[in-house]
Amino acid sequence: MAESTFTFRSLQRFERCPHAYRLDQTEADRVSLPQEFLDTVVRNAAAALGRRRLNGRVIDKDTAMSVFWNTWDVQSGLQPPVPSAEKSELLKVGERCMANYVRLASRFCNDELVACDLRGEIQVPGGSVEVRIDEISSRGGVMVVTRYISEPGIRTKADLENDREMFLALRWARENVPGADRCLVQWKLLHPGFEIESEVPDFKVDAAVAEVGRTVSTIRASREFGQREGEHCALCSYRECCPRFTHGTSGDVGGRELVSQYAEFQEKIDALRQRMEMLEAQRDEVGRRLIDYADSHGYTALTDGTFKATVSHLKKAELPKEKSAVIRRLREIGRLEEMSTVNYSRLRADIVKGIADPDIIAMAVILDVDRVNLRRLK
């Protein structure tokens, strides 16, 4: 793989926390989260079994388990071992995934397997990204591009239809696999043991390519890799040296006192806001009664001698929160461009990252803004 080519896992790490991503790039052994390790083992085991299926062999449960355990041992030798406290649970999840793999692969009227464990590179704005396709099957005149998911729990179709990695794999398949111009995407959720399929429209694939391209461009333009706190911090191997957490284990008293003072003022502000929200709700309730009273008596304005309240009735259109159907229709009738507005929030972010158009960057003034974000620890 070329030096400028990114893996999806590295992109996800950067999005979770640029600081940990940078440290990963300087380590001889890159750290893998337990679920990432299991996902690699399950997909590699499925690839080995897929090659046997391509050669006409029938896969049984004992064979699948043997391949899974061997793959686990091989992968354990390539990267730091999984913590012993989590190893037992991960093995149970992996074994269940392989049992369901056998069941799904041997199902009656299964699609004809054409290829497995395909890897390639796809160009995106700013560089290239490695893609991996677990399987491609033929169903009549349609190709089915499959990705195996080992993560426990049920994923909805709506969640999966935001799978950027799958959409880039679909683009790569259409460009590199003969007969793949007509494709379905399929996710095989191995832990619960069922499949979800979707016909992905081109605009979603284009959007995924553009979004991944922005992340790649951001990484390549980055000079500073700041910390970003999130749900993965508890599992991060660099937590002890991360500036977001080192103060909590230090004996620094001055910093603790400043946080307490800041929090005291913030809590007073929050209490005032809550009081304001309550007053606004009470005002709106009186407002509804005022409108009803005016309408029932034929008034368009009421007064107490000091204040005058004018009543008007307007129409307001509410669009659905999920606007993909609206955007699709605007594109079909050629009105999308005239209806669209500049996303200035994204433009400002791209300017700061250094990935916007150079002429637009030259128009902007970059300001240093200091800000404190306070939250109550759980």
Side-chain angles (χ1 to χ4, degrees):
M1 187 171 64
E3 192 173 314
S4 61
T5 301
F6 293 84
T7 65
F8 244 92
R9 186 164 292 173
S10 68
L11 298 181
Q12 290 170 336
R13 286 180 177 176
F14 179 83
E15 290 169 344
R16 289 199 299 258
C17 181
H19 182 67
Y21 168 86
R22 180 180 65 81
L23 293 175
D24 269 350
Q25 309 314 301
T26 62
E27 290 290 314
D29 293 317
R30 299 189 179 187
V31 176
S32 177
L33 297 175
Q35 181 56 45
E36 291 178 350
F37 175 85
L38 177 64
D39 190 65
T40 300
V41 172
V42 169
R43 295 177 77 180
N44 287 351
L49 295 169
R51 287 188 285 271
R52 299 188 184 198
R53 290 166 57 201
L54 284 172
N55 290 326
R57 297 177 61 179
V58 176
I59 304 300
D60 57 29
K61 184 176 178 180
D62 289 340
T63 301
M65 292 301 174
S66 176
V67 170
F68 168 73
W69 292 325
N70 289 337
T71 307
W72 178 288
D73 292 339
V74 170
Q75 197 65 29
S76 296
L78 298 176
Q79 59 190 89
V82 173
S84 56
E86 301 180 49
K87 183 176 179 179
S88 176
E89 183 61 31
L90 283 182
L91 280 171
K92 290 179 182 177
V93 173
E95 290 172 352
R96 177 170 174 174
C97 286
M98 298 315 298
N100 283 329
Y101 169 88
V102 174
R103 182 176 61 80
L104 293 173
S106 60
R107 195 177 56 181
F108 181 67
C109 291
N110 208 2
D111 301 330
E112 180 185 355
L113 184 62
V114 174
C116 65
D117 196 27
L118 297 176
R119 301 174 191 241
E121 296 178 14
I122 185 168
Q123 292 297 316
V124 299
S128 60
V129 177
E130 182 190 37
V131 296
R132 177 178 183 179
I133 298 175
D134 291 323
E135 287 183 3
I136 293 183
S137 303
S138 175
R139 182 187 300 165
V142 177
M143 292 291 189
V144 181
V145 178
T146 299
R147 179 185 174 193
Y148 285 112
I149 296 179
S150 64
E151 186 178 345
I154 296 176
R155 306 268 288 274
T156 67
K157 188 175 182 180
D159 290 337
L160 293 171
E161 287 184 340
N162 291 316
D163 187 346
R164 297 174 302 167
E165 183 176 4
M166 185 60 135
F167 296 165
L168 264 66
L170 176 61
R171 170 69 63 83
W172 183 89
R174 286 175 175 170
E175 295 175 351
N176 295 278
V177 178
D181 50 324
R182 294 184 58 200
C183 278
L184 287 174
V185 294
Q186 178 190 76
W187 295 270
K188 290 190 177 182
L189 285 71
L190 292 180
H191 189 261
F194 64 90
E195 304 162 350
I196 295 178
E197 293 184 352
S198 176
E199 294 185 24
V200 180
D202 289 339
F203 77 87
K204 280 201 170 185
V205 177
D206 295 339
V209 171
E211 186 177 352
V212 170
R214 282 192 292 272
T215 302
V216 169
S217 298
T218 300
I219 294 175
R220 300 189 70 181
S222 291
R223 297 294 178 267
E224 296 183 7
F225 294 82
Q227 307 88 41
R228 182 177 299 145
E229 194 168 345
E231 59 180 318
H232 294 88
C233 291
L235 299 172
C236 182
S237 300
Y238 303 107
R239 184 183 175 103
E240 292 182 359
C241 63
C242 178
R244 284 291 180 100
F245 296 96
T246 49
H247 183 261
T249 57
S250 72
D252 179 11
V253 176
R256 294 176 185 271
E257 291 178 350
L258 287 171
V259 172
S260 297
Q261 293 173 23
Y262 191 92
E264 181 181 352
F265 285 109
Q266 186 62 53
E267 288 184 339
K268 290 179 180 179
I269 292 171
D270 292 341
L272 288 173
R273 284 177 179 157
Q274 291 177 5
R275 173 67 175 161
M276 181 178 252
E277 290 174 359
M278 183 182 70
L279 291 173
E280 287 174 346
Q282 293 174 347
R283 177 206 62 191
D284 292 343
E285 174 58 30
V286 174
R288 283 189 287 271
R289 289 160 49 199
L290 186 153
I291 292 171
D292 290 342
Y293 187 92
D295 288 348
S296 65
H297 289 75
Y299 300 126
T300 59
L302 300 175
T303 181
D304 66 353
T306 303
F307 299 97
K308 183 176 182 178
T310 301
V311 174
S312 58
H313 300 283
L314 307 174
K315 294 186 182 298
K316 179 182 177 182
E318 287 283 350
L319 291 171
K321 290 183 179 180
E322 173 52 54
K323 296 183 175 60
S324 58
V326 177
I327 294 172
R328 186 163 55 249
R329 182 54 185 162
L330 287 171
R331 181 181 287 107
E332 290 171 354
I333 62 177
R335 298 284 308 278
L336 181 62
E337 188 167 336
E338 68 179 82
M339 290 288 187
S340 297
T341 59
V342 178
N343 187 335
Y344 287 104
S345 296
R346 172 170 286 175
L347 181 59
R348 283 192 289 266
D350 288 349
I351 290 171
V352 171
K353 295 172 184 175
I355 62 175
D357 179 82
D359 291 336
I360 294 179
I361 293 177
M363 300 176 193
V365 177
I366 309 297
L367 303 175
D368 291 324
V369 179
D370 298 325
R371 185 168 55 189
V372 175
N373 179 42
L374 181 75
R375 64 183 174 85
R376 184 183 295 278
L377 295 175
K378 294 181 180 179

